[in-house]
Amino acid sequence: MWYCLRMQRWWIDTSSEVEDSIVRRILSLAAGSDIISFAGGLPSAAHFPVREVGEVLESLAREPALVRKALQYGETEGYRPLREIIAESYQRKDGLPIQPEQVGITTGSQQAIYLLARALGQRPVVVERPTYLAALAAFRLAGNGIREIPLPEDGPEAGGLPDVEEGMCYAVPNFQNPTGITWSNEKREVVARWAKQRSILLVEDDPYGELRFRGARQKPLAAFAPAHTILLGSFSKILAPGMRVGWFVVPQEGEQLFAKLRSLKETADLHTSTFAQVVIAEYYRRGFAQAHIEAVAAVYGKRARLMRELLAEHLLEVRCTDPEGGMFLWATLPEGMRARELFHLALEEGVAFVPGDVFYATEPDERTFRLNFTAVDEAEMEEGVRRLARAYARARRGT
Ligand SMILES: Cc1ncc(COP(=O)(O)O)c(C=O)c1O
């Protein structure tokens, strides 16, 4: 749809904004009212590392040369010490021989998705079904042809992978948004083999991987198909989203792809906030990161368990996934019920979630919905699920 603004002088195409704005409406509806929201994808603000960030800022006040650097324009590819920290972390945790030159800093990992969508042009992008809504929006905006693959609870099956020869496969193999699903190592190998036999770039988006609260850490897709995988990461969920700092890691010998993404980024914002990058690098240099990640993952694990227990107690007929980490549960209503209808009744009862249909590129499963378990505390969660149960009972009765 084309809108004309200011006496036909400017034209704006709004056709791909639709789903995103529905979610924005849900989130703004839920914010600032007495609605208990399981809708957003927010980390727990009560657990932000406020004291540690304060200490970093105090220490910076004693280092004027570093502060000057932090306040100056920086390089498009990012602040070198932060790129080193990210590369070293992949070496230590996953045994991947990543070098700092392969790492590009972005304004949140969302920007990396956007840049990749632009770089892809008209080639097809394969996504999980369902998948992260704002990635779908970026692919739609860039005009990429979207193909969906079914997502069983341990990752995609070989039979579900499409016969495309080139393009990109965007996936969130750890604690996916929206489902909470984690791919098994076997499924990672299957998808890696499929990509390697074709000219397909795997985009492994992993903002939640560090937030594991049970089970063993899986190998990244990049370990199975190193020359075919671009890794995306973010400090949003392991430190704070307000920093707006994420990254991409191109394969070794991926200089051309790196240069392409860097030049696209340059036209978007020149570079990511140097100040935020310096603060994060100092936060890591002072050793605050690991303890914080462990503490937050433990809290989220308790909340995920509680939410599942409450759902089992109050909404027995609703099936839901059992995530090993991350921030979301994916629920499915019994045959014949629709999440959109439950959603309207839930708002009347004072609780919000995101209806699942927005996470599908085509033919949505209208019985599904996403619940966030990290942003509310335990008491609010209990009350929220009680309200949801009241809405569910009304939906069942048709009132
Ligand atoms: C799967 C996934 N990728 C990327 C992002 C973007 O995060 P950010 O831009 O804050 O790094 C999100 C945010 O919720 C997400 O769920």
Side-chain angles (χ1 to χ4, degrees):
M1 192 190 310
W2 288 86
Y3 279 120
C4 166
L5 295 178
R6 293 259 185 109
M7 297 192 303
Q8 311 204 345
R9 280 173 53 219
W10 299 330
W11 295 84
I12 298 176
D13 179 8
T14 61
S15 52
S16 31
E17 291 186 340
V18 180
E19 291 306 351
D20 181 44
S21 63
I22 289 168
V23 172
R24 230 178 297 133
R25 272 209 306 277
I26 294 173
L27 296 182
S28 61
L29 213 79
S33 62
D34 64 356
I35 288 178
I36 294 175
S37 180
F38 300 138
L42 307 185
S44 166
H47 295 87
F48 284 149
V50 173
R51 181 185 56 78
E52 292 83 348
V53 170
E55 275 186 40
V56 167
L57 294 175
E58 271 175 35
S59 76
L60 279 179
R62 295 188 292 275
E63 293 189 65
L66 188 53
V67 174
R68 285 197 185 92
K69 193 169 207 147
L71 295 176
Q72 190 53 281
Y73 280 115
E75 289 176 314
T76 304
E77 53 264 50
Y79 178 55
R80 174 80 193 192
L82 189 59
R83 296 167 73 203
E84 287 169 1
I85 287 166
I86 293 165
E88 188 277 328
S89 163
Y90 283 114
Q91 292 164 14
R92 185 166 35 83
K93 293 185 177 157
D94 299 311
L96 297 178
I98 306 283
Q99 300 305 309
E101 292 71 26
Q102 293 169 255
V103 179
I105 303 291
T106 52
T107 301
S109 50
Q110 184 62 37
Q111 186 181 46
I113 298 170
Y114 179 79
L115 299 177
L116 280 162
R118 292 298 304 267
L120 186 68
Q122 302 302 307
R123 290 185 202 88
V125 58
V126 176
V127 299
E128 295 150 293
R129 174 183 164 75
T131 190
Y132 170 48
L133 172 66
L136 275 182
F139 299 139
R140 284 184 179 130
L141 191 68
N144 313 140
I146 302 173
R147 301 279 298 265
E148 291 178 300
I149 47 176
L151 184 62
E153 289 222 13
D154 62 343
E157 311 276 355
L161 298 168
D163 202 12
V164 289
E165 282 307 317
E166 57 159 22
M168 192 162 91
C169 173
Y170 169 81
V172 187
N174 291 318
F175 329 129
Q176 194 227 25
N177 179 5
T179 61
I181 283 176
T182 297
W183 299 11
S184 67
N185 275 334
E186 293 70 33
K187 295 299 184 66
R188 288 169 200 243
E189 214 170 340
V190 164
V191 174
R193 200 174 319 120
W194 167 79
K196 282 196 282 191
Q197 287 161 355
R198 298 164 162 77
S199 207
I200 300 233
L201 179 69
L202 295 172
V203 179
E204 179 171 22
D205 185 14
D206 191 24
Y208 305 105
E210 300 277 304
L211 297 177
R212 177 176 279 286
F213 38 76
R214 65 184 177 81
R217 189 179 172 90
Q218 309 281 60
K219 281 200 221 168
L221 272 179
F224 297 100
H228 281 254
T229 310
I230 181 160
L231 281 150
L232 310 187
S234 174
F235 293 107
S236 289
K237 309 297 173 6
I238 54 174
L239 203 174
M243 291 285 187
R244 304 309 305 129
V245 181
W247 65 87
F248 61 80
V249 183
V250 298
Q252 270 168 13
E253 297 172 22
E255 293 87 356
Q256 276 189 342
L257 178 60
F258 190 94
K260 174 81 185 168
L261 295 173
R262 182 178 48 200
S263 65
L264 284 169
K265 177 170 170 64
E266 200 172 0
T267 63
D269 63 357
L270 297 183
H271 65 81
T272 295
S273 158
T274 326
F275 187 77
Q277 293 183 70
V278 168
V279 169
I280 296 175
E282 288 304 295
Y283 173 89
Y284 271 72
R285 204 178 55 77
R286 293 170 71 90
F288 291 136
Q290 198 50 37
H292 174 67
I293 290 168
E294 282 165 21
V296 169
V299 172
Y300 291 179
K302 267 199 220 139
R303 290 186 178 177
R305 234 183 355 265
L306 177 63
M307 187 171 254
R308 275 180 54 81
E309 282 166 14
L310 290 166
L311 291 171
E313 188 183 335
H314 297 284
L315 288 129
L316 194 57
E317 298 171 342
V318 175
R319 266 194 301 119
C320 70
T321 52
D322 189 8
E324 295 180 353
M327 305 189 6
F328 305 106
L329 287 180
W330 186 243
T332 307
L333 293 168
E335 226 35 89
M337 292 184 77
R338 292 181 62 234
R340 285 266 172 178
E341 277 165 21
L342 178 65
F343 172 71
H344 292 295
L345 296 171
L347 282 185
E348 285 175 19
E349 294 292 340
V351 61
F353 56 78
V354 183
D357 54 300
V358 297
F359 300 100
Y360 294 88
T362 59
E363 295 172 32
D365 180 344
E366 302 202 338
R367 292 187 295 147
T368 56
F369 58 102
R370 188 189 76 176
L371 292 167
N372 165 273
F373 53 76
T374 60
V376 297
D377 66 25
E378 285 73 2
E380 285 171 316
M381 186 180 283
E382 289 193 24
E383 176 56 24
V385 175
R386 263 189 228 112
R387 293 179 187 183
L388 190 59
R390 283 202 294 273
Y392 181 83
R394 285 176 59 195
R396 263 295 197 211
R397 286 196 306 268
T399 56

